Amino acid sequence: MLQIYNTLSRSKEVFKPLVAGEIKMYVCGMTVYDYCHLGHARVMIVFDMVARWLRASDYKVTYVRNITDIDDKIIQRALDNKEPIAALTQRFINAMHADSELLHLLPPDHEPRATHYIQQMQGMIGRLLEREMAYQSEDGDVNFAVRQFPKYGALSGKDIDELNPGERVAVIGGKRDPLDFVLWKKAKPEEPADTRWQSPWGEGRPGWHIECSAMSCDLLGQQFDIHGGGADLQFPHHENEIAQSEGANGKPFVNYWMHNGHIRVNQEKMSKSLGNFFLIRDVLKEFDPEVVRFFMLRAHYRSPINYTDAQLQEARSGLIRLYRALAETVGYEHPQTSNSVMKLEMIDAWKERFAVAMNDDFNTPEAIAVLFDLTSEINRLGAENPPLRLQLAHTLCALAATLGFLQRNPNSFLQSGDGVGEAAIDIQIAARQAAKQAKDFKQADAIRQHLLEQGILLEDKPGGLTIWKRV
Ligand SMILES: [Zn+2]
């Protein structure tokens, strides 16, 4: 039975979809004015894992992740670059898709762009005005009136009257309350032509929050199951989405709110000013995308993650250990498509342990621990009982598929190299162990000698462990 931690109730709840067997999920996507960084990678990987697990659990999932392609930062960047907005956003949408593909993300079912939903946004704003939950201020902007929505603050646990002034938006342009937020921004004379849409309230463009309310409502209905995003979006973005959607539709908006934790770099907040800001494309120059995915999923999605090279190296070693067990299994065949969502047809006891972990609020660290136990079992078997070993190897591959890794040809992963040749050494050690298990000591000695000639000395330790050092 799946349990999900719901930010709204601050507790794990038994998951019940609105329609049996079907799940509708919306995740806030990128604002496309720059390349995606590690924080974006985490959101994308976390909710890819969630979608995969729900599908592997036999739910029919509709997964929507939007693209914000109109926004202050986009307008500013386009002006700085002297480039049309559509050209700028398309460039970064393409870059995001390239990153997604490298990270083995399954494409969402819908990837709506805000600029294609202006009509739906205007419809929603119109309903909010009718219901007197919004007003047009003197400067021409249409604002949401937070005081008209008594539940405001419920998601983020903030009391509207106790919000500290630092968190309050400056009162500008005749807002009735500093917390009121913009639904429709009136065009300013200096703003470019491609940022203006006609509306009953004058030429202008939507505010950021209304974009998500309109797109999710149009594609998933006025009420749906899961809404996700980074923890930093809880307030004000998600709070505002709830206020707008429930205000306009008069019914509950989302049943389960999921938020993933932050990424820190060497224990510091990732920021451009600290110079510790990592783009996905730069990280992928040094590390295999599968290692990055594995690194992200070794942590629980709600926990903060600390990004360091050492952590990435450790993730790589872990992945090598898993792939090696597959590589050494006689008759093992890897799946033909790397992004397949496999049905869970495998050895029940392992499937059960894995499912218990995943159904406990997507506890991927625990699920990965099960994969390591399974790998130990495969390694313990050695050359004994090849059919069982093969079955265990396929179970390992199928379980890992639900997390989106271990789907490549193991040898090509192990040989992919890493600049210092560690993966190559590991595979040689694996080959030597396989030779020893097959009692081909001549071959085992030849491998040892070959490595020694390359300056790598192997030392056999008790328990079948082999370590190496450079000499
Ligand atoms: Zn959003």
Side-chain angles (χ1 to χ4, degrees):
M1 194 163 39
L2 175 63
Q3 290 201 308
I4 296 182
Y5 182 90
N6 190 351
T7 308
L8 205 52
S9 65
R10 284 164 195 77
S11 62
K12 278 187 207 169
E13 296 177 11
V14 173
F15 178 74
K16 282 196 209 84
L18 281 164
V19 176
E22 289 181 25
I23 296 178
K24 298 198 181 335
M25 176 165 85
Y26 183 92
V27 173
C28 292
M30 295 350 126
T31 300
V32 282
Y33 69 101
D34 209 338
Y35 293 111
C36 294
H37 56 65
L38 275 179
H40 298 131
R42 189 171 192 195
V43 180
M44 294 199 284
I45 290 171
V46 161
F47 289 98
D48 182 71
M49 171 276 289
V50 168
R52 282 174 191 259
W53 179 248
L54 296 175
R55 287 185 177 129
S57 308
D58 268 342
Y59 284 107
K60 181 180 176 294
V61 179
T62 309
Y63 172 25
V64 179
R65 192 184 62 219
N66 76 292
I67 293 172
T68 291
D69 61 351
I70 183 73
D71 165 273
D72 287 350
K73 289 188 184 117
I74 292 174
I75 296 171
Q76 191 53 51
R77 186 64 58 90
L79 287 172
D80 292 347
N81 291 356
K82 298 186 175 56
E83 162 176 40
I85 285 176
L88 174 93
T89 54
Q90 191 57 53
R91 207 150 51 81
F92 288 113
I93 289 169
N94 294 345
M96 175 185 75
H97 285 156
D99 288 343
S100 307
E101 215 166 290
L102 282 172
L103 290 169
H104 296 277
L105 298 163
L106 298 173
D109 300 288
H110 301 276
E111 214 175 27
R113 297 184 188 194
T115 52
H116 298 174
Y117 286 79
I118 301 290
Q119 210 185 344
Q120 289 87 334
M121 294 170 203
Q122 291 185 351
M124 208 168 217
I125 296 168
R127 288 208 299 285
L128 288 169
L129 283 163
E130 265 169 43
R131 293 171 156 238
E132 297 184 348
M133 307 202 73
Y135 60 94
Q136 188 162 27
S137 55
E138 288 152 25
D139 61 6
D141 287 355
V142 180
N143 296 314
F144 186 91
V146 294
R147 297 274 164 189
Q148 298 292 85
F149 187 70
K151 274 165 63 187
Y152 194 80
L155 178 71
S156 49
K158 291 176 191 289
D159 182 331
I160 194 165
D161 290 313
E162 287 172 8
L163 275 170
N164 98 46
E167 284 176 315
R168 288 176 165 243
V169 188
V171 187
I172 42 161
K175 278 186 187 170
R176 290 179 191 165
D177 186 287
L179 283 173
D180 290 353
F181 56 90
V182 70
L183 299 168
W184 188 258
K185 268 184 185 178
K186 192 182 176 209
K188 296 189 179 57
E190 70 275 17
E191 286 170 350
D194 52 358
T195 63
R196 294 156 183 268
W197 284 269
Q198 293 297 332
S199 86
W201 323 289
E203 257 195 350
R205 62 188 154 93
W208 171 38
H209 312 299
I210 196 73
E211 296 180 1
C212 282
S213 284
M215 288 185 273
S216 60
C217 174
D218 190 73
L219 289 162
L220 300 176
Q222 294 182 347
Q223 186 179 8
F224 58 92
D225 302 293
I226 300 174
H227 192 315
D232 52 332
L233 296 185
Q234 266 179 50
F235 184 85
H237 183 54
H238 290 162
E239 200 73 72
N240 293 355
E241 277 190 46
I242 295 173
Q244 297 160 151
S245 303
E246 298 194 358
N249 302 328
K251 58 161 77 168
F253 176 41
V254 167
N255 288 356
Y256 302 85
W257 283 89
M258 292 178 67
H259 292 99
N260 66 270
H262 295 291
I263 293 208
R264 295 169 71 79
V265 175
N266 295 322
Q267 301 297 356
E268 283 182 318
K269 192 171 185 284
M270 190 169 76
S271 78
K272 275 185 179 153
S273 56
L274 287 171
N276 62 0
F277 192 81
F278 287 95
L279 298 177
I280 297 175
R281 50 178 37 220
D282 292 333
V283 172
L284 295 186
K285 284 176 193 156
E286 277 187 62
F287 293 98
D288 187 287
E290 197 168 343
V291 170
V292 176
R293 173 184 267 273
F294 188 65
F295 159 74
M296 297 274 188
L297 294 178
R298 284 195 322 162
H300 190 272
Y301 77 89
R302 283 189 283 123
S303 312
I305 285 191
N306 190 35
Y307 175 89
T308 62
D309 271 7
Q311 291 274 351
L312 265 281
Q313 303 283 7
E314 209 182 295
R316 177 163 59 197
S317 304
L319 206 49
I320 287 173
R321 182 171 154 76
L322 299 177
Y323 263 122
R324 203 157 60 196
L326 300 179
E328 291 168 10
T329 300
V330 178
Y332 174 76
E333 282 177 40
H334 64 94
Q336 290 310 305
T337 54
S338 63
N339 262 338
S340 57
V341 176
M342 296 176 76
K343 286 283 165 245
L344 301 179
E345 285 164 17
M346 56 198 87
I347 299 175
D348 283 346
W350 291 101
K351 173 184 163 184
E352 183 59 30
R353 278 188 62 194
F354 186 88
V356 165
M358 290 299 286
N359 285 334
D360 178 15
D361 190 30
F362 308 95
N363 191 340
T364 54
E366 191 54 41
I368 288 173
V370 174
L371 299 186
F372 277 109
D373 286 351
L374 177 51
T375 302
S376 300
E377 182 61 16
I378 292 170
N379 292 340
R380 194 190 60 77
L381 274 179
E384 270 173 45
N385 200 343
L388 175 60
R389 179 171 176 144
L390 186 59
Q391 213 182 353
L392 289 170
H394 282 134
T395 301
L396 175 60
C397 169
L399 289 174
T402 66
L403 298 175
F405 58 80
L406 235 50
Q407 303 304 295
R408 286 146 76 180
N409 178 336
N411 288 320
S412 74
F413 175 82
L414 293 169
Q415 286 163 356
S416 60
D418 53 14
V420 291
E422 286 179 21
I425 296 166
D426 279 319
I427 196 168
Q428 291 290 310
I429 291 174
R432 177 167 168 267
Q433 269 162 353
K436 276 164 77 178
Q437 270 157 7
K439 306 218 181 308
D440 185 353
F441 297 109
K442 204 174 151 198
Q443 171 68 3
D445 282 343
I447 293 170
R448 189 173 199 279
Q449 187 57 33
H450 178 68
L451 281 171
L452 192 59
E453 283 160 14
Q454 295 171 292
I456 306 297
L457 176 67
L458 300 187
E459 279 179 21
D460 292 321
K461 297 284 179 189
L465 182 74
T466 300
I467 60 162
W468 59 269
K469 61 182 177 192
R470 295 187 194 274
V471 290

